Amino acid sequence: VGGLLLALGLGLLVVGVYNPEPQESALPSWGPPVLVAGAAVLVVFVLWEVRARTRLLDLAGVRRGPLLATLGVSLLSGAALMVTLVDVVLVAQTVLDKDATEGALLLTRFLVALPIAAVAGGVIARRVGERWPMAAGMAVAAVGYLLIAAWPADLADASYGPLPRMDVDLVVTGLGLGLVIAPVSSAVLAFVPAARHGVASAAVVVARMMGMLLGISALSAWGFHRFHALTADLKPPLPFLMPKDEFARQLKIYNAAVDDALRTEYQEIFWITAGLCVLGAVLALAAAGGSERDGHRVRGRPGKGDSGRIWPSNGHTGRDLGKDSATGQVPSDGLGNILGKDG
């Protein structure tokens, strides 16, 4: 039941922001009521999860605030990721007059930086905790999107000294989003007992994928609407109503106006995306960081005889430590200790 309610609620949100006629409005005519219905179904889902005996993710004894904040970071990073994958290629095709292959090659700057920063984020999180690499990653990504939003009309020739501006801005954005990947997953696993790690990992993926779906749906609808609004008064010149030279002049003016509208549309989309990243950085600060105690572990500086490993804590006060909410069984290693020999 919980799974069906969650799927229905999220599905309604996606349908609510899908707009087949963006020239009329940012949302379709059915958008507001469907969005309200989706929000209502999600409220019912939360109430069901609170009362149900078998839950998708049992939060008994779990610090809900930091966990939900971390899932929020995953959702917002997913939205930013999908906007980048779609709109950077569109910028290449519509503003820079590149074909699909050239647009994809332009995106590789971002895609190469992403996994490099993901590895770095894992290393940093192991040393200082998850909070700061998550917050720093979202902040760096916000800076990257502000740089992209400020791309000039002569983008192909723009540079920072010897470095092409497009390449630098895309790499900065990729490094920021990549830095978030490992700390988000690590933090979520740290908040829940080992018996719930599978569904907790799934929650991270679901949050990221829903961010991708909702982000691209909502921002694309907004972008298309803004483009139609910016070009509503533009009229293409007709060659049979004027001399050839005048038609060429008018066509040049018209094309320049369309390019300006496209740049304005993309600029606003990337501004909004930067704002989402700033919100993600704020949420990241609400997550537990290094050397702080949460409900399930203590991570501190290595002491004598300590290799710096993350040690589970037996100070959990939940009512069903390590218990599978579906089966009621407590995993054991045969020594009567649910945390294992090292516990």
Side-chain angles (χ1 to χ4, degrees):
V1 175
L4 291 174
L5 288 172
L6 178 61
L8 178 61
L10 295 177
L12 287 173
L13 293 183
V14 174
V15 172
V17 297
Y18 169 70
N19 188 5
E21 297 180 349
Q23 67 274 17
E24 301 295 334
S25 62
L27 288 175
S29 58
W30 64 81
V34 171
L35 289 175
V36 171
V41 172
L42 291 179
V43 171
V44 174
F45 162 73
V46 172
L47 295 176
W48 173 267
E49 288 292 300
V50 170
R51 297 177 178 271
R53 294 183 61 184
T54 301
R55 304 165 183 169
L56 286 180
L57 178 58
D58 192 349
L59 299 182
V62 176
R63 295 175 61 194
R64 291 172 174 79
L67 175 63
L68 296 178
T70 305
L71 292 177
V73 174
S74 183
L75 185 144
L76 293 171
S77 65
L81 173 64
M82 196 63 182
V83 168
T84 310
L85 296 178
V86 173
D87 283 285
V88 168
V89 175
L90 290 177
V91 169
Q93 293 178 338
T94 58
V95 176
L96 300 177
D97 295 324
K98 295 181 179 291
D99 58 28
T101 301
E102 291 173 326
L105 290 175
L106 175 63
L107 192 61
T108 56
R109 282 75 163 172
F110 170 83
L111 295 176
V112 168
L114 199 70
I116 294 174
V119 175
V123 174
I124 296 172
R126 182 175 179 84
R127 294 180 177 274
V128 303
E130 293 89 2
R131 172 190 292 175
W132 300 114
M134 277 196 295
M138 295 303 284
V140 170
V143 172
Y145 287 115
L146 290 176
L147 293 174
I148 294 175
W151 276 353
D154 58 340
L155 179 58
D157 299 323
S159 65
Y160 299 111
L163 300 176
R165 174 164 182 169
M166 283 188 299
D167 296 355
V168 172
D169 294 350
L170 289 172
V171 167
V172 169
T173 308
L175 291 175
L177 285 184
L179 199 62
V180 175
I181 296 174
V184 164
S185 299
S186 175
V188 168
L189 294 180
F191 295 140
V192 301
R196 305 176 210 165
H197 277 183
V199 71
S201 298
V204 174
V205 178
V206 169
R208 183 178 296 118
M209 299 303 286
M210 286 313 304
M212 295 171 73
L213 282 173
L214 292 174
I216 195 60
S217 298
L219 288 179
S220 292
W222 165 256
F224 289 141
H225 173 65
R226 282 292 292 150
F227 177 75
H228 283 289
L230 292 168
T231 58
D233 297 329
L234 292 180
K235 295 186 180 355
L238 300 176
F240 52 83
L241 294 180
M242 61 189 72
K244 185 176 180 179
D245 292 343
E246 179 64 15
F247 169 74
R249 189 182 71 83
Q250 292 289 341
L251 182 61
K252 185 177 181 180
I253 294 174
Y254 173 81
N255 288 334
V258 171
D259 288 342
D260 287 340
L262 285 170
R263 284 195 296 273
T264 300
E265 171 198 350
Y266 295 132
Q267 183 182 62
E268 292 178 356
I269 288 176
F270 288 122
W271 276 346
I272 295 172
T273 308
L276 295 178
C277 290
V278 171
L279 177 58
V282 173
L283 288 178
L285 294 177
S291 72
E292 292 181 355
R293 179 182 296 271
D294 61 27
H296 309 287
R297 61 146 196 209
V298 177
R299 189 202 327 257
R301 295 181 180 177
K304 184 177 181 181
D306 186 352
S307 62
R309 175 180 174 180
I310 299 174
W311 296 93
S313 169
N314 57 5
H316 177 63
T317 58
R319 56 182 173 83
D320 61 343
L321 178 62
K323 182 180 293 186
D324 188 311
S325 61
T327 65
Q329 299 298 315
V330 178
S332 172
D333 62 354
L335 300 177
N337 185 347
I338 63 173
L339 294 176
K341 182 178 178 180
D342 292 331

